[in-house]
Every structure is written in structure tokens, then in C-alpha cells.
Amino acid sequence: MSDTTNGYMTEERRMIQQLARDFTRQEVLPAANRLDPEKGDIPDELIDRMGELGFFGILIPESLGGLGLGYFEYCLVAEELARGWMSVASLIARGNAFYHSVPGATPEARAEKTAQMARGKYLGAFSMSEPNAGSDVANISCRAVRDGDEWVVTGSKYWCTFADRADFINVICRTETEPGAPRWKGLTSVQFEKPRGVFPDRVSGSAIPKIGYHGWRTYELAFDQARAPARPRSENDGNAFKSVASGLEGARAHTAARSIGLAQGALEDATAYAQEREQFGQPIGNFQSIRFKLASMATEIEAARQLMYFVCTELDSGRRCDKEAAMVKYFAAEMSERVTSEALQILGGAGYTTLHAVERYWRDARLTKIFEGSSEIQQRIISDHLLGKMAAR
């Protein structure tokens, strides 16, 4: 990790960064090296420890039991955790990114659940994508119909990670749509609370086989007239698209942080290997081709990191930065795949084994170009800012 002094890093932030770094090296990285090759789950003990350290409550206000910090600290922690295991870096969003949608019949009940969330005792899963609706959120067809004080949900969902181990699932469904309204209208968030380790009644799940992002399972879900409590009718009904879109800037900064952490881990491992591995009577780090690879990798990582710091500062200042958030997500994800691939190349045949973490970084880096909006979606957002949106045909 670069120790470059800049105006972004306060003493408090350095302490938080070091806390996450030490935790990753002592607990996350050993667990990842042991469990990822066998596709094992993130241990409950590790989740409990993250809760004790406050990692699930970084963005939750102090009045509700959290740390009351910002996206800058959130992404600092995520970067360090991804240095060990990207799945663990993603797991912290199951608290921080969900506290606005914590269900509860009364404000007091919601406050208590939010405090539990900050301790890692009440975590959520998010179910939006469908077999025919990925980035095209307006194409969602999973249907929710009101029946008294309940929603009745029927349809299929795809790419729902942590659905089995979460305490609740936030499901984006299509509800009432006014005639002639745009397609993005009529989407509502429906909350299913459940015990950990099972699915809600009349909901079944099939694990999707993945090449990476191990440590937790990702599901296809089927809802067969599943019932969930319906809040009193409000202006939020039918407007879930807006709430989802409003959270994308922070989510994309979080993805950039994970991408940077993966790349940093790969760089550190490749640097150490280049100093240890000898060929032709000397360490391969003495060869210019290897040295220049490492120099380029380090430069790309630092460029992405500084852009992420800027975006996080904008987010914490309350300023709109959808273009810059798209830029950092796009740049960091593309960079991460390049850097982890170069690291694997430096390790040679050893890098293509599960005996070294670099293959895990490489596999997980590839995913960052896809989720939270693919690289192509980010390019469209950026180009729309430069050229204006294309007229509908």
C-alpha cells in the first residue's frame, strides 16, 4: 500500500485503515487461502469479528449504533478487506448499504434492528436482477400484488448473493403501473424477513455455479405467491427505481475500492515473488521486463486510488458525482483485471495454481467489470455527460 501523504488522509483515517489492514492480514487472508480453493463459506466467527470492529456500521449514524463515518472510511476498509478476500469486502455492504431499508412496524423497532445491523447481527440480501433484467432494471417482471396488509410475490430473480444466510431479503418487484407511465415506474421494494440459513416460505433457491466470488453463495430465487408484510401505502410505492439509482454512486465507489484492493494484493504478492524466484542465477526482479511490469502496475493502482479518494470526498460532501463514480468504477475494474493478470504472469506456472492467492485475485477482478453496472454501462454514463443522451429511436 502506498504511504503517500496527501490532503485526504487524516490521522483518524490512517488508524481505521491500519485496523482493517491488520485484521485482513491476520484473519481474512488466512481464511481466504484456506477456504476459497474449496469454495467454503466465510466463517460465522469472521462475520462476528467484523461486527465487533464496527465494519457493518461505518455508514450508520452514531445515534443508531453505528460509527457515523462516510464513504471515504467505508471504501478505505473495503480496499483493505479485498486485499484478503473480495467476498469479505463485499459483505460489509450487507449492513452499511441496507440500513435505510431496515423493516420495522415502529421507529423504535427499526432503530433496534439498525443497531443490530451495525453489530453484524441483522444483515440483508438484495434481489433485483432477473433472467431477463440486468442493467435494464425497468424490465423487471417479478410481480407483487397487494392483498390486505401483505404483498403476494410471484416470479423469478437471479444473482441474489447471501440469500440463504441473510436475515432479510430486499426484493425489487413490479407493482401497480399507471397507464402510459414510463417503464421504470411501478417498481416497489418488498422486504422478506426470515431466519438465517433458510429461505422465506414459498421461496426456493438454486445456487448458481461461479468461477469466483466464493465464500458465499449466489442464488436464483423462485417466488410462488410468497407473502411479505406491506407497509402503509406511501409515495415510496412504485418508486423503488429512484431509491436504487440514488445508491449507485456509493456502490460504484465501493466496487472501485474492491478492485483496487485486489490489484494491490496481486502487486504485493508479485513483488515478493520477483525478489524470491531465481532464474539464470539471479532473482527475476533484476530483469527489466519484470521491473517495468511492477512499475506500471503500481502506477495504475495509485491512479485509481486517488480517483476513488476524490469520488468518496464528493459523496461525503453531498455533491452529485454520477459521472465521476462511473469513471472510477470503470477505470478501477479495468485496471484490476490488467494488474492481476500481469501478477499471474510474473508468477508464471505457480500463479496458475491455487497454491498462490493471485489466481483468486484474477478471478474476482474479472467480476468487477460486470457487477454494479458493466464497464459498458459506465462508458455509456460517461459519454452521456460528454455528448448528451442519445435520442430514443
Side-chain angles (χ1 to χ4, degrees):
M1 176 68 66
S2 169
D3 289 322
T4 302
T5 300
N6 58 57
Y8 294 119
M9 295 299 291
T10 63
E11 186 61 30
E12 180 184 36
R13 286 172 173 173
R14 291 192 185 280
M15 291 174 63
I16 292 169
Q17 183 185 58
Q18 191 62 51
L19 174 68
R21 185 175 299 173
D22 291 343
F23 173 70
T24 297
R25 288 177 176 169
Q26 295 166 13
E27 301 186 49
V28 178
L29 189 57
N33 291 340
R34 182 178 75 254
L35 295 169
D36 188 270
E38 60 189 44
K39 302 181 182 179
D41 288 341
I42 299 168
D44 289 337
E45 298 79 11
L46 193 65
I47 299 175
D48 291 341
R49 179 68 176 133
M50 292 167 67
E52 293 170 5
L53 293 172
F55 291 162
F56 293 108
I58 297 170
L59 297 176
I60 296 176
E62 289 185 89
S63 61
L64 295 175
L67 298 182
L69 300 172
Y71 278 99
F72 199 108
E73 291 79 9
Y74 178 53
C75 288
L76 277 183
V77 171
E79 178 187 339
E80 294 299 330
L81 295 176
R83 164 64 180 91
W85 204 357
M86 188 177 76
S87 299
V88 171
S90 302
L91 183 61
I92 64 171
R94 306 300 161 167
N96 292 284
F98 279 82
Y99 87 89
H100 286 297
S101 61
V102 168
T106 66
E108 292 76 18
R110 285 195 293 273
E112 174 56 31
K113 287 179 179 177
T114 303
Q116 293 176 19
M117 176 177 282
R119 300 192 299 271
K121 301 299 183 182
Y122 187 75
L123 303 176
F126 183 59
S127 186
M128 181 175 70
S129 296
E130 297 180 5
N132 294 314
S135 295
D136 186 9
V137 178
N139 201 39
I140 284 174
S141 61
C142 184
R143 185 95 181 150
V145 178
R146 271 189 181 268
D147 181 15
D149 58 356
E150 291 184 316
W151 288 112
V152 181
V153 179
T154 303
S156 298
K157 287 291 182 180
Y158 213 60
W159 303 121
C160 184
T161 301
F162 203 53
D164 53 343
R165 299 174 70 183
D167 298 286
F168 68 95
I169 306 177
N170 183 338
V171 185
I172 305 300
C173 302
R174 183 160 297 284
T175 51
E176 299 88 351
T177 304
E178 297 177 5
R183 289 194 307 149
W184 55 265
K185 293 280 287 184
L187 298 180
T188 298
S189 174
V190 177
Q191 303 273 7
F192 286 86
E193 291 195 87
K194 66 181 191 62
R196 289 187 177 182
V198 300
F199 295 111
D201 290 341
R202 305 191 72 84
V203 178
S204 59
S206 300
I208 300 170
K210 303 175 293 186
I211 65 171
Y213 210 34
H214 300 316
W216 50 359
R217 284 177 287 277
T218 300
Y219 287 92
E220 179 176 11
L221 301 177
F223 296 81
D224 181 15
Q225 296 187 329
R227 291 180 173 267
R231 298 175 183 175
R233 291 184 183 273
S234 71
E235 62 182 14
N236 292 324
D237 287 3
N239 285 312
F241 180 87
K242 290 183 178 179
S243 62
V244 170
S246 67
L248 285 177
E249 292 175 12
R252 285 166 179 163
H254 180 220
T255 299
R258 290 177 282 176
S259 301
I260 294 164
L262 291 169
Q264 183 67 39
L267 172 65
E268 292 175 6
D269 288 5
T271 301
Y273 188 84
Q275 294 170 307
E276 298 165 1
R277 172 68 166 168
E278 291 192 0
Q279 288 289 277
F280 308 105
Q282 58 183 312
I284 62 172
N286 285 352
F287 298 117
Q288 188 180 72
S289 61
I290 300 297
R291 299 175 75 88
F292 282 12
K293 280 183 185 292
L294 294 171
S296 296
M297 292 157 66
T299 301
E300 290 197 62
I301 293 169
E302 194 60 37
R305 181 178 293 123
Q306 294 300 318
L307 180 55
M308 180 188 73
Y309 287 171
F310 169 77
V311 170
C312 288
T313 300
E314 293 297 287
L315 286 168
D316 290 335
S317 299
R319 291 186 286 269
R320 186 75 191 274
C321 59
D322 56 328
K323 178 184 71 174
E324 293 80 5
M327 285 178 169
V328 74
K329 196 276 184 186
Y330 168 63
F331 181 75
E334 296 286 330
M335 173 279 295
S336 188
E337 188 190 27
R338 287 193 302 271
V339 166
T340 55
S341 180
E342 285 284 63
L344 195 152
Q345 187 72 17
I346 291 171
L347 268 70
Y352 203 69
T353 72
T354 57
L355 300 175
H356 294 270
V358 69
E359 61 85 27
R360 177 173 76 248
Y361 300 142
W362 179 52
R363 284 185 286 109
D364 286 349
R366 187 62 184 83
L367 179 59
T368 66
K369 294 173 58 174
I370 299 172
F371 64 5
E372 301 296 351
S374 66
S375 289
E376 291 75 19
I377 290 293
Q378 309 313 314
Q379 288 176 306
R380 176 173 178 177
I381 293 168
I382 298 163
S383 62
D384 282 350
H385 275 274
L386 297 174
L387 301 170
K389 293 186 177 182
M390 292 185 294
R393 296 182 178 179

